[in-house]
Every structure is written in C-alpha cells, then in structure tokens.
Amino acid sequence: MRVVPAQPAAFSFEPARTALVIIDMQRDFLEPGGFGAALGNDVSLLQAIVPAVELLLALAREHDMLVIHTRESHLADLSDCPAAKHEVGTAGLRIGDPGPMGRILVRGEPGNQIIPSLSPIAGEWVIDKPGKGMFYATGLGDRLIAQGIEYLIFAGVTTEVCVQTSMREANDRGYRCLLIEEATESYFPAFKQATLEMIIAQGGIVGHTATLAAMVAALSEEQA
Ligand code: C5J
C-alpha cells in the first residue's frame, strides 16, 4: 500500500488496483481559439495545470497504473444529447454547432481530441461521455469492476462540473477517491476552491484531496 498525506485524512491505495482518471483535458476546453475561449473563458487558467497532469500521467505509467482519459462528447447526430442539455448557451455556440475547432463537443472533431501532451497510449482507456459524470451512459462501471479497480485518483477539468460529478458518481459506487489539487482547475477559481472544500467536508463526504507533492512522495521508491 502507498499512503498519501491528504485531506481530511491520509489516503491509502494499492497501485495495481488504482486508476488515474484524467477528466476532459480536451482541446476545446484548453486551447486558445477553442469552444471554452469562444464562450469568453480565460483558458490560461486551465492550461496552467497541464504540467501537473503530465507529471501524474508519467507517474501512473511508470507504476503500471490503469489510466483512464475521458472526453465530454456526443454522437454526430446528437441522439445522445438531451434537449435540456442542447438548449443551454448562446445560439450558434451550442453543442453540435460549427465551432472554431469543428463541431462543438462532437466525437471525432479536432476540438474534441485530448491535448497532444496528454495523448492516450496503447492500453489506456478513452471514455467518451455524453454527460458530466464518467459513469452515465459509458459502460465504465462494468469495466472497472472487471478490472478489479478500487481506488481512483482524479485530475482534469473543470473541477466543479465534470470532475466533481464523476467523483460523486464514483463515491456512490464505493470507490475510494482522491483529487490532486494542482491537477484540476476551473474557469472560476472560487468554484474550484469551493469544490475542494465540499469534497472533504464532513469527514470526506465525497473523497479526499492531496497535493501533487504528497502524491509524488507516496510513489517514491522509499515507500515501496
Ligand atoms: C463542462 C467539463 N461542460 N468537463 N465540462 O464544463 O467540466
């Protein structure tokens, strides 16, 4: 077992039963000229976490942990996008509309790809999810059970939307969850801070949070 000093208490995990989950690090959310920027968001906030996520990804690969990448995406005919979701936002900048990097949040479009420095490699799972949470309508739950995964370490964007929803779904399913503070971000810094606080409230009601340094130390040789 590895032990990470964390909030609200230490987080223990067994790398062989752990997956690193990287939520929605897709070009449209992170790159200048993408959908996120077109909505008026400052994407430099999200870009700032890329080195931290790269480091986590390298660590997970080094320790033979399962790596799961998610993308928020929809089928080209939008049959998996309910009206309540499709109606959100400004006309012309809605899901399926032509955006600066192809059709917005549609599978296969350039903007829907994971940023190059975090590109999945063979053996890593890529989960296309039509919702905010990674379990809804993805089949991921059965795959995780089959793989014997018990612990999930989270990174990605945005903290209060797809990261938090996925953590809550995982928590309800009995997974032990840890979010790495420097490896997640929001377009709204106050929302990130609030999410970190609500995850660990009431004794860790949704899971744990830890710093990247604590995670690096936990995976160092000395603890092995
Ligand atoms: C949205 C996300 N839509 N990855 N997605 O905010 O958090």
Side-chain angles (χ1 to χ4, degrees), residues 23-24 29 72 105 129 132 157-159 161-163 187:
I23 299 284
D24 297 3
F29 291 152
E72 184 175 351
L105 294 191
K129 59 181 182 57
K132 310 294 191 292
V157 299
T158 59
T159 317
V161 185
C162 291
V163 175
Y187 296 124

Side-chain angles (χ1 to χ4, degrees), residues 13-14 23 25 34 37 44 50 55 60 73 84 87 96 103 128-129 143 157 159 165 168-169 179 181 188 194 204 214:
F13 70 101
E14 192 184 341
I23 299 284
M25 292 291 282
S44 68
V50 171
L55 178 54
S73 67
E87 285 161 10
R103 290 183 67 205
D128 283 301
K129 59 181 182 57
R143 292 182 70 182
V157 299
T159 317
T165 304
R168 287 176 181 273
E169 285 185 330
L179 175 59
E181 295 167 20
F188 308 95

Side-chain angles (χ1 to χ4, degrees), residues 12-26:
S12 300
F13 70 101
E14 192 184 341
R17 292 184 171 276
T18 303
L20 172 66
V21 180
I22 304 177
I23 299 284
D24 297 3
M25 292 291 282
Q26 53 206 68

Side-chain angles (χ1 to χ4, degrees), residues 1 8 17 73 117 137-138 144:
M1 293 294 266
R17 292 184 171 276
S73 67
S117 71
T138 62
L144 284 175

Side-chain angles (χ1 to χ4, degrees), residues 133-156:
M134 66 183 189
F135 287 88
Y136 172 67
T138 62
L140 177 62
D142 290 341
R143 292 182 70 182
L144 284 175
I145 290 167
Q147 194 77 14
I149 297 296
E150 286 182 28
Y151 310 90
L152 297 173
I153 295 171
F154 283 88

